[in-house]
Amino acid sequence: MARRSLRILDLARQRIVGVFLLLAILAAAGVYEMLGLPSSIFPSVTFPLVRVIADVGEEPAQRMMATVTRPLEEAMLRVPGIQSVRSTTSRGSSEIDAQFTWGTDMVVAVQRIEAEAQRVRPDLPSETSIDVEWMNPAVFPIQGYALVSDRETMAQLYDLAQFTLKPALVRIPGVSQVQIQGGAQREFQVRLDRRALEARQLAATDVVDAITKENTVQSAGLTERNHELYLTLVDGQVAGIEQIANLSVPVPNGPAARLDQLGTIRVADEASFIRTTASGHPAVLVNVIRQPAANTVAIAAAIDQLFKNQPTLLPRDVRWINFYDQARFVSDSVNGTRDAILIGVGLAALVLLVFLRKWRLTLIAVVAIPLTVAIVALFLSVLGQTINLMTLAGVAAALGLIADDAIVVIEDIEHHEQTGGDPSAEAEHAAGVSVRELLPALINSSLSTTVILLPFALLSGVVGAFFKPLALTMALTLVVSFFIALLAVPIAVSKFAPASPPPPATPERPSRRGRLRQSAAARWALATGRAAAGLYDRVVRAVLRVGV
């Protein structure tokens, strides 16, 4: 192993330009990939959990259990790989959680659950709405904003968020969904007159069916004119209170009645039982959800840039308040890791400068740390990892190991160069001798630490999903640091920091006080030796007497 390493080192020394060019390319690619890596608080964890939410308005809980929850549970149990199904049924709502085994392809699992839900859809109540969600960290908002105004009504704020801001935010790359909470929605309210209904033998459901049938848009087919085909539509949607008042309601055994003849019509806000506030004022909340592989920091920057480029999106009397900013936590984590790297580089440089007192050796050890971090970032990008708390913690925790490998190699090479007979000739072989001596220790040190990280990579469940990126980052850092300390550092020391010849030794004649001190010390050492020898002789004789 040592001979092979020496051959590799000799081969690398012969192609020093190619070696350093390769390192420069890897480092540049690592920096480029680091700037483009997706960043988030948590790793991209694939939780094997799918939630199905069914809504049937105001249906009683007991009826929901029989007509909605049980058919959906039986349908979901047909999906392969499912472990358990748990449901929570309440008035008008049913939530069903399907737990799969770890390692299941969740994209396929979600598609199969959606297919099973559509298969039993005809057996469910006609007004049932089904929503299938894959539970992962990307379903939680990364940015939260609030619309607050002293003049605009809650209905106007809701329309602003729903029809102006939401389309603009969805167009930002990486945004998957924009949720609107709070506010008020405008609606037409019809208060029926009981006497008018009884006089025409109508029920409230008859009026609802008539409004539903009239307030639609339907296709009437194609029409041909001038050798061209045109799509014809029948638009029955109401656009105002006058049009909805003129809607006709069929009356059995009599002429149709207008809607305004059966009750009063007015424009009002939809009834809401949830109140949202911000800064002590009623507000409409806008939550931004990212795609699983999107960059949180880039999305936040794009949102800020959107309002800078289009200031007319918000009226002057509307305030845009950021009450939750996940990008700030990610930026703080990145900045903390950057500070840790800078502190580690500074301390390593200080240690080398104090003990070796050569700025070139110090510079080589300092450059090895960011070089290793950049190459590790490249490998993380290739393996599909992201910048998150666990990968940043792995880099920060491995900084000492990176500096340790470089410092040990540099110090050993310097020692061989200083103790050699011919400094100029020793500079060519000191790197090879140091690598031959330190190779077993470097391999054992790196391998033992890497083996310790293997149990974290074998963990399963949520713990394994979070600790695997940490173990992978530290293992990659150890491997890259080992090869840089084995190849790049010895070449750099032998080429850019050759040993200087030691100053010639000039014998100095000791002074009279020094000679007196040396003679006194010699007499004291001689007397101490004689006393010790006499004491040893007495002890041996005493032991022999006791034995006899």
Side-chain angles (χ1 to χ4, degrees):
M1 188 69 176
R3 293 180 179 178
R4 292 181 181 179
S5 63
L6 290 178
R7 293 176 183 176
I8 295 175
L9 184 62
D10 293 337
L11 184 62
R13 188 185 296 111
Q14 296 173 4
R15 294 169 174 80
I16 183 172
V17 177
V19 172
F20 284 109
L21 181 60
L22 177 61
L23 292 177
I25 293 175
L26 292 177
V31 173
Y32 177 78
E33 292 294 335
M34 184 186 301
L35 297 176
L37 277 178
S39 57
S40 59
I41 290 292
F42 304 108
S44 298
V45 182
T46 304
F47 290 109
L49 179 64
V50 178
R51 174 168 294 178
V52 178
I53 302 177
D55 190 3
V56 198
E58 300 298 331
E59 194 76 9
Q62 295 181 352
R63 185 173 177 81
M64 284 286 300
M65 176 67 72
T67 60
V68 178
T69 303
R70 289 181 179 176
L72 287 176
E73 287 180 348
E74 294 174 356
M76 293 169 63
L77 288 174
R78 296 166 57 92
V79 177
I82 197 167
Q83 280 188 333
S84 62
V85 175
R86 294 183 178 181
S87 62
T88 302
T89 305
S90 59
R91 182 179 181 86
S93 177
S94 177
E95 294 184 3
I96 307 174
D97 293 335
Q99 183 76 32
F100 290 82
T101 57
W102 284 90
T104 303
D105 190 349
M106 295 307 300
V107 176
V108 177
V110 171
Q111 294 175 353
R112 289 177 175 176
I113 287 183
E114 290 178 346
E116 291 295 333
Q118 294 299 324
R119 185 180 62 84
V120 299
R121 183 65 180 268
D123 300 333
L124 304 179
S126 59
E127 64 274 14
T128 304
S129 62
I130 301 176
D131 186 16
V132 180
E133 295 181 355
W134 175 22
M135 303 304 295
N136 56 66
V139 302
F140 301 103
I142 61 170
Q143 297 290 114
Y145 301 93
L147 289 173
V148 180
S149 177
D150 296 331
R151 296 182 180 179
E152 303 288 337
T153 63
M154 296 301 295
Q156 292 174 335
L157 291 178
Y158 178 84
D159 292 341
L160 174 65
Q162 183 70 29
F163 303 110
T164 303
L165 298 180
K166 184 176 181 178
L169 294 174
V170 170
R171 289 195 294 266
I172 295 177
V175 175
S176 64
Q177 186 180 0
V178 177
Q179 296 178 346
I180 309 298
Q181 295 180 352
Q185 301 184 40
R186 304 292 286 174
E187 66 178 7
F188 295 108
Q189 294 182 356
V190 180
R191 296 183 178 272
L192 298 176
D193 187 356
R194 186 175 181 178
R195 295 180 180 179
L197 292 178
E198 292 177 353
R200 294 173 175 81
Q201 298 180 356
L202 294 175
T205 55
D206 298 331
V207 179
V208 173
D209 294 339
I211 295 176
T212 303
K213 292 179 180 179
E214 292 290 339
N215 188 29
T216 58
V217 177
Q218 295 182 354
S219 173
L222 300 175
T223 181
E224 183 180 359
R225 180 179 297 178
N226 298 329
H227 305 286
E228 294 181 350
L229 290 177
Y230 295 91
L231 175 64
T232 58
L233 297 176
V234 177
D235 188 0
Q237 285 187 331
V238 295
I241 193 171
E242 295 180 357
Q243 294 183 8
I244 194 173
N246 293 326
L247 290 178
S248 61
V249 179
V251 177
N253 302 325
R258 296 196 313 272
L259 188 59
D260 57 354
Q261 296 176 348
L262 303 178
T264 58
I265 306 171
R266 67 171 185 173
V267 180
D269 294 337
E270 180 184 7
S272 178
F273 304 98
I274 300 176
R275 183 178 181 182
T276 56
T277 61
S279 301
H281 300 276
V284 174
L285 305 184
V286 180
N287 296 318
V288 179
I289 300 176
R290 68 178 180 90
Q291 296 177 355
N295 192 322
T296 303
V297 179
I299 293 176
I303 293 175
D304 296 337
Q305 190 65 31
L306 173 66
F307 288 99
K308 290 181 180 179
N309 297 335
Q310 302 181 22
T312 57
L313 285 176
L314 292 175
R316 295 182 178 179
D317 55 347
V318 176
R319 298 190 299 274
W320 179 255
I321 303 174
N322 185 201
F323 66 87
Y324 176 72
D325 187 4
Q326 192 178 103
R328 179 173 58 86
F329 298 111
V330 178
S331 300
D332 292 343
S333 301
V334 174
N335 295 335
T337 305
R338 179 201 60 194
D339 296 340
I341 294 176
L342 294 178
I343 294 174
V345 170
L347 293 177
L350 180 62
V351 170
L352 280 177
L353 193 60
V354 169
F355 286 93
L356 299 180
R357 298 184 180 180
K358 290 186 177 181
W359 66 270
R360 291 186 179 181
L361 297 178
T362 302
L363 183 61
I364 292 173
V366 167
V367 172
I369 298 177
L371 178 64
T372 303
V373 174
I375 297 177
V376 168
L378 175 62
F379 288 130
L380 289 177
S381 176
V382 172
L383 295 175
Q385 297 296 322
T386 62
I387 297 178
N388 51 74
L389 291 179
M390 306 310 292
T391 54
L392 293 176
V395 173
L399 285 179
L401 302 176
I402 300 174
D404 181 66
D405 292 341
I407 290 174
V408 169
V409 173
I410 290 175
E411 195 279 332
D412 193 72
I413 295 175
E414 176 67 12
H415 172 72
H416 283 288
E417 291 179 350
Q418 292 295 337
T419 57
D422 186 1
S424 60
E426 187 66 23
E428 300 179 357
H429 303 284
V433 175
S434 297
V435 170
R436 182 176 59 187
E437 291 181 354
L438 295 178
L439 182 60
L442 289 177
I443 293 177
N444 293 334
S445 175
S446 301
L447 185 61
S448 60
T449 309
T450 306
V451 170
I452 293 175
L453 299 174
L454 286 179
F456 292 96
L458 299 177
L459 291 175
S460 61
V462 179
V463 178
F466 275 89
F467 278 96
K468 282 181 180 178
L470 174 65
L472 178 63
T473 304
M474 294 191 66
L476 287 175
T477 304
L478 290 173
V479 173
V480 174
S481 175
F482 170 76
F483 282 102
I484 289 180
L486 182 65
L487 298 177
V489 171
I491 297 175
V493 172
S494 60
K495 294 298 181 181
F496 301 110
S500 57
T506 55
E508 297 181 358
R509 185 177 181 182
S511 61
R512 184 172 181 272
R513 179 178 299 177
R515 292 195 299 269
L516 292 175
R517 289 181 178 177
Q518 292 177 359
S519 61
R523 291 194 300 269
W524 180 83
L526 181 60
T528 304
R530 291 177 178 176
L535 180 62
Y536 175 77
D537 184 63
R538 293 178 182 178
V539 171
V540 171
R541 290 180 180 179
V543 171
L544 292 176
R545 291 175 182 176
V546 172
V548 175

